[in-house]
Amino acid sequence: MIEYENLARSNQAYIAELEDAATRVIRSGWYVLGQEVSAFEAEFAHYLGVKHCIGVANGLDALILSFEALDMPKGSDVLVASNTYIATILAIVRAGLRPVLVEPEIETFNIDPAKLGTAITANTRAICVTHLFGKSCRMDAIRAFAIERGLKIVEDCAQSHGAKLAGQMTGTFGEAGCFSFYPTKNLGAAGDAGAIVTNDDTLADRLRHTRNYGSKQKYVNEYVGINSRLDEMQAALLRVKLRHLDAMTQHKRALADTYLSLLPTWLTLPRRLADEYDVFHIFGVRYSRRDQLRQWLLERGIKTEVHYPIAPHRQKAMVGILSGDWPIADQLHSTELSLPISVGHTFEEIQDICNTIHEFKHQLYA
Ligand SMILES: *Cc1c(COP(=O)(O)O)cnc(C)c1O
């Protein structure tokens, strides 16, 4: 059996360090917003080369708080990819803004810079990019467009910890970079956690209030905030994992290399450009008979995933919010298959998966 992800196995190499960190927090008697959070914020900001990091409770809150802090008029349009994970769109809606869909590039799953021009209206104030599957969006073209039109950029980096474009880290291109540390993400906690990074002092100051009831000083409230604090336990565990993030990424990139050299050409494989440093949160291939292939693999003990089975505009929750036809999103959602690519997977397992995929095509034409 090859699982899609086994977190106990993926965390095994760091178990002693994680247990030490957990014990330290339990014994400290201080559990929410403390030294561990401050230290993690400083270390993660340093890792990305950005001025500020504000720890929050999860990735969705990181996005909601960022949109709110940018103080755009209620009902402003935010451009967002038609195939992003639903959380990106939920955050825009929760912040009182209007999601306006833009189709992705079919080769990369990322928002298509060439399509921003037709989506923009007089009401557009921002672009929210999602660096899906661990690949940076084309921030060169997107930033040029945003600067020319005076639009803000919010980056959904929930899948792109450490991913770069032309040497620059995702999360540092726009006004705010929003991270999730959900356990399965490339930098994963042992529970929910998230963070916002920014180079903007004013934005950072406001976010340090709004994550904590609008208050930085106890019982003094300056904003209508929420409770979205990062706790000491998750911060301490994340500090351990952050020290190993580059090594974990290198392992995933090496597994991706194995896939890219062994998988058959009848699958559409991830595109790789020289200036893109992908961190392969997900290894997503495309194939017209995706469901058949997925079943074949499952019957042979190989578990895969689909990211994602239903496009945002087809979700019941989005009735009255999203409308229109989004054929590229539909095509991606009906053909994408995610192959196992975790820190816990071995090269032998990847070879097994590739061999089994080759056999699938042989039986199809037998
Ligand atoms: C995981 C994820 C989120 C949400 O993060 P949570 O911590 O689960 O709230 C948002 N956007 C994308 C693209 C994600 O993959």
Side-chain angles (χ1 to χ4, degrees):
M1 167 70 70
I2 301 178
E3 288 179 271
Y4 181 72
E5 168 70 283
N6 177 336
L7 289 172
R9 193 178 166 198
S10 290
N11 284 329
Q12 188 54 43
Y14 320 112
I15 208 79
E17 284 177 87
L18 291 169
E19 286 174 355
D20 281 352
T23 303
R24 185 173 75 232
V25 172
I26 294 165
R27 292 192 178 166
S28 77
W30 190 283
Y31 303 119
V32 176
L33 291 186
Q35 281 177 19
E36 299 286 346
V37 171
S38 302
F40 172 70
E41 288 174 338
E43 288 158 12
F44 195 54
H46 177 77
Y47 177 81
L48 294 176
V50 74
K51 259 171 104 176
H52 307 283
C53 171
I54 301 98
V56 296
N58 56 64
L60 177 62
D61 282 356
L63 288 160
I64 295 173
L65 289 168
S66 295
F67 284 120
E68 281 181 357
L70 286 171
D71 246 349
M72 297 178 274
K74 288 284 167 209
S76 295
D77 289 351
V78 178
L79 306 184
V80 61
S82 56
N83 65 319
T84 187
Y85 179 54
I86 196 73
T88 327
I89 293 169
L90 291 175
I92 296 169
V93 174
R94 286 273 161 199
L97 306 167
R98 219 172 64 91
V100 172
L101 300 183
V102 177
E103 290 264 68
E105 306 172 297
I106 197 145
E107 300 84 10
T108 65
F109 290 75
N110 277 339
I111 193 165
D112 188 344
K115 300 211 179 86
L116 295 171
T118 51
I120 194 171
T121 68
N123 199 33
T124 307
R125 293 287 175 278
I127 306 172
C128 183
V129 297
T130 306
H131 306 294
L132 211 63
F133 297 179
K135 175 192 276 300
S136 175
C137 293
R138 291 307 310 186
M139 297 313 296
D140 36 7
I142 294 165
R143 278 198 69 198
F145 182 89
I147 289 166
E148 199 183 309
R149 316 289 173 114
L151 304 178
K152 311 239 191 240
I153 295 176
V154 173
E155 300 179 64
D156 182 340
C157 304
Q159 303 188 1
S160 71
H161 315 75
K164 290 178 263 193
L165 180 71
Q168 188 175 345
M169 291 275 190
T170 58
T172 69
F173 290 97
E175 269 65 32
C178 303
F179 288 85
S180 165
F181 308 117
Y182 183 76
T184 58
K185 308 291 187 187
N186 278 24
L187 180 57
D192 278 307
I196 304 156
V197 300
T198 182
N199 281 313
D200 183 327
D201 299 342
T202 314
L203 194 66
D205 184 65
R206 178 163 171 164
L207 289 166
R208 286 191 195 286
H209 288 89
T210 52
R211 71 170 170 187
N212 186 24
Y213 301 128
S215 149
K216 227 170 22 176
Q217 194 188 333
K218 209 172 181 182
Y219 307 132
V220 179
N221 297 76
E222 295 201 21
Y223 300 94
V224 180
I226 62 173
N227 174 358
S228 183
R229 299 175 297 224
L230 181 57
D231 66 67
E232 289 283 281
M233 182 64 78
Q234 299 311 331
L237 300 175
L238 286 167
R239 291 179 70 194
V240 172
K241 297 283 285 287
L242 179 59
R243 291 201 288 274
H244 299 287
L245 179 58
D246 284 341
M248 293 190 288
T249 299
Q250 275 158 28
H251 182 68
K252 291 182 70 135
R253 280 172 56 85
L255 296 180
D257 284 339
T258 307
Y259 272 131
L260 289 166
S261 64
L262 297 181
L263 282 172
T265 51
W266 47 264
L267 286 179
T268 306
L269 304 179
R271 185 186 82 183
R272 288 237 253 186
L273 295 184
D275 65 348
E276 296 171 353
Y277 184 86
D278 293 8
V279 297
F280 288 102
H281 172 60
I282 286 166
F283 191 90
V285 302
R286 291 199 299 114
Y287 183 52
S288 53
R289 303 191 201 201
R290 185 262 319 272
D291 295 333
Q292 252 179 292
L293 175 58
R294 189 176 187 202
Q295 186 59 29
W296 165 272
L297 291 170
L298 187 61
E299 284 163 9
R300 281 150 191 82
I302 297 167
K303 290 195 183 165
T304 59
E305 287 286 338
V306 168
H307 296 96
Y308 298 91
I310 304 172
H313 69 281
R314 298 192 178 276
Q315 298 284 0
K316 191 173 163 209
M318 291 294 131
V319 173
I321 297 173
L322 301 177
S323 59
D325 292 331
W326 307 97
I328 298 183
D330 282 335
Q331 199 179 336
L332 291 176
H333 283 79
S334 61
T335 57
E336 195 275 347
L337 183 68
S338 303
L339 303 179
I341 186 161
S342 81
V343 169
H345 284 106
T346 64
F347 293 97
E348 291 67 33
E349 287 173 323
I350 304 306
Q351 283 159 6
D352 274 0
I353 296 166
C354 293
N355 289 337
T356 310
I357 291 174
H358 278 277
E359 284 164 24
F360 171 78
K361 193 65 173 224
H362 292 147
Q363 67 82 48
L364 214 57
Y365 293 110

